[in-house]
Amino acid sequence: MCKDHTDHRHEDENHGLAGPAGLGRRGLLATGAAAALTLSTVSFANAAPAGGDSTVGDNEQTRTVTGTLPTGSPDFVYLPVEVPRGVAELHVSYSYERPQMPAGTQGNALDIGIFDERGTALGGRGFRGWSGGARTEFFLRADAATPGYVPGPVRAGTWHIVLGPYTVAPQGLAYQVTITLKFGDPGRTPTPVHPPERAKGRGRAWYRGDCHIHSVHSDGRRTPAEIAALARAADLDFINTSEHNTHTGHSAWEGLWGDDLLILTGEEVTTRNGHVLAIGTDPGTFVDWRYRARDNRFGHYAREIRRAEGLVVPAHPHATCIGCNWKFGFADADAVEVWNGPYTVDDEVSLAEWDNTLVPAARSGRAWTPAMGNSDAHRDPDPIGTPQTVVLAEDLTRDAILAGIRAGHSYVAESSKVSLSFGAAGGRGRHAGMGDRLHVPSDTPVTVRLDVTGAPGCTTHFITDQGTLHTTTLPPSGTATVDWQTTPAYATYVRAEVRHTPTTPGLPGPLAAFTNPIFLGE
């Protein structure tokens, strides 16, 4: 339902939606994605009229919308805004009530973003930005925009502010949205500059990277320049941009890459049923997030990520935050992030679940899902590169790094101080490394060797389909070579872990590093 606001430059509009009685003022949409509400349309005059009744000046018009979302609201609520011709800048601010709730009862949390006149259809053709709950206001104009939002012309037509009621308190979520249009010269949009796909590198070598980092372009507090400096200080060779539900960080790295640092572009696709990293996608690629597992849409967007030459990597699959636990399964995954930030119990669960997938893959010979680890760093004091994925790649290029991750030619370490070499040998001089298969008969003696440096006070563990079969305590130097003999009949696969001394009774010690598996047998 539309309302005519053209006679006023500033008007409060109540979009009250508390309870079923509000249904007459909104539309319920179910379009193969998460259900959504559409509120009444906010309209503006075609131009800033002469006169003095505006509270913000003759070249601006403002509307304020208030309402209340009930518990059980759909994931997305769209507020249509009719934008007239001649607008140079659109500014949006919002607020909502945050009552104190007793323990165990969810309070209010409301996300925000915007789509332009091209519409809100899945796929994001009209996408112009998302800040989730990280900001209370944003602006867009041709030559600039708030981080997380896409600069470009503010064209005439129906725009949609998208509200995301992440959690709603029992008494409802009362909100206020203020939209200000500024009229004038539309300006010009600069051509985005994206990172190159190649750094100098060292040829075929082990390269260290962190593919899950947040900046001011989503809910991080660090600038890209600060992140690049910290990545270099952590001795990383590559990083990946991974902002929540926006790709605007892709063009924020000009002057920050170099021969020593490859910057990949991607996104953390943050749905209500889990988060997935799009790693190394074509610069400028946006991946939609507005669906749940029940909507049967993830496979489509996993293919979109691959069409953009990226990797599909479910993130922190057993994280305990609301909406973070991974519900889409792993059939469409190229790898899985089993270690996220400082090592915790949910990482231990993710590691164990991942390990359980290795036997079926080994038995069937079908593709398996490699593991990786990333920092998910947002702000100080979150360390960049804790953990990091160390990849054997032909060179320091986008294609080579992604190929190494996809093949499982990698291990995960808590920092650049820890280095591993892991391989298996048997038969007539045959050898296999991480992610590969040692093709020998089932009764062939196999020697597994792990070289470790930088892990003082730790223990090494060889894990097979039967569990942990060999453990060694490292010397005070943290440097050692550990050998173990087995056969493919006894061990379907073998992988290595390096762990610190246990800190919680009954639980293994935190990881210092772990490898992807070596499969044994023909």
Side-chain angles (χ1 to χ4, degrees), residues 148-510:
Y149 292 81
V150 183
V154 183
R155 293 178 290 262
T158 303
W159 290 51
H160 288 83
I161 296 168
V162 54
L163 302 175
Y166 191 62
T167 57
V168 179
Q171 60 266 51
L173 191 158
Y175 65 88
Q176 176 176 293
V177 179
T178 299
I179 309 111
T180 298
L181 304 183
K182 299 181 180 180
F183 294 82
D185 184 348
R188 295 184 178 181
T189 303
T191 301
V193 178
H194 296 125
E197 296 186 8
R198 175 182 294 272
K200 186 175 181 179
R202 304 180 299 278
R204 180 178 171 83
W206 291 91
Y207 295 100
R208 296 176 179 269
D210 189 346
C211 292
H212 190 170
I213 303 172
H214 296 279
S215 78
V216 294
H217 281 264
S218 58
D219 60 344
R221 293 294 179 266
R222 291 168 172 151
T223 65
E226 291 170 327
I227 290 171
L230 290 169
R232 288 182 166 98
D235 295 323
L236 297 183
D237 301 296
F238 65 93
I239 58 175
N240 176 73
T241 70
S242 57
E243 310 297 355
H244 292 286
N245 299 341
T246 184
H247 61 294
T248 63
H250 293 188
S251 58
W253 300 86
E254 186 173 5
L256 299 177
W257 57 78
D259 289 346
D260 62 333
L261 186 63
L262 175 70
I263 300 175
L264 307 175
T265 55
E267 180 181 332
E268 183 174 11
V269 184
T270 306
T271 80
R272 296 297 180 89
N273 284 164
H275 304 182
V276 62
L277 299 172
I279 297 178
T281 52
D282 293 332
T285 298
F286 166 72
V287 184
D288 213 320
W289 75 99
R290 294 170 295 158
Y291 43 85
R292 295 197 189 195
R294 67 192 180 201
D295 302 315
N296 197 30
R297 300 292 296 175
F298 175 68
H300 170 81
Y301 288 102
R303 291 188 292 274
E304 288 291 308
I305 292 170
R306 291 198 189 93
R307 273 193 284 268
E309 305 297 331
L311 298 183
V312 179
V313 181
H316 46 66
H318 286 280
T320 56
C321 49
I322 295 174
C324 296
N325 198 279
W326 184 249
K327 302 292 187 183
F328 295 92
F330 297 96
D332 292 300
D334 296 306
V336 57
E337 182 191 77
V338 303
W339 184 355
N340 174 274
Y343 200 74
T344 58
V345 172
D346 61 275
D347 297 310
E348 188 70 33
V349 174
S350 295
L351 181 67
E353 181 185 54
W354 167 73
D355 182 86
N356 289 340
T357 69
L358 299 179
V359 169
R363 183 176 60 244
S364 67
R366 293 195 298 266
W368 62 286
T369 306
M372 66 183 307
N374 301 296
S375 72
D376 199 1
H378 283 71
R379 59 187 65 83
D380 294 338
D382 298 351
I384 301 288
T386 299
Q388 55 195 250
T389 301
V390 190
V391 183
L392 178 62
E394 297 300 320
D395 210 341
L396 188 52
T397 67
R398 171 194 176 191
D399 289 346
I401 293 296
L402 297 187
I405 295 172
R406 188 185 294 109
H409 296 160
S410 60
Y411 64 92
V412 180
E414 64 182 355
S415 75
S416 61
K417 295 178 181 179
V418 181
S419 293
L420 304 182
S421 175
F422 185 57
R428 297 182 177 180
R430 295 188 177 184
H431 182 272
M434 287 173 258
D436 292 330
R437 178 178 289 275
L438 183 64
H439 291 276
V440 294
S442 62
D443 59 350
T444 302
V446 172
T447 298
V448 180
R449 172 167 291 182
L450 174 69
D451 294 307
V452 186
T453 61
C458 292
T459 54
T460 65
H461 307 258
F462 288 160
I463 296 95
T464 76
D465 53 308
Q466 298 185 72
T468 300
L469 293 183
H470 185 73
T471 301
T472 300
T473 300
L474 295 176
S477 66
T479 299
T481 296
V482 182
D483 288 340
W484 179 60
Q485 279 72 45
T486 188
T487 65
Y490 191 64
T492 303
Y493 63 87
V494 60
R495 60 181 185 84
E497 295 177 357
V498 181
R499 288 185 178 265
H500 293 282
T501 302
T503 56
T504 303
L507 292 178

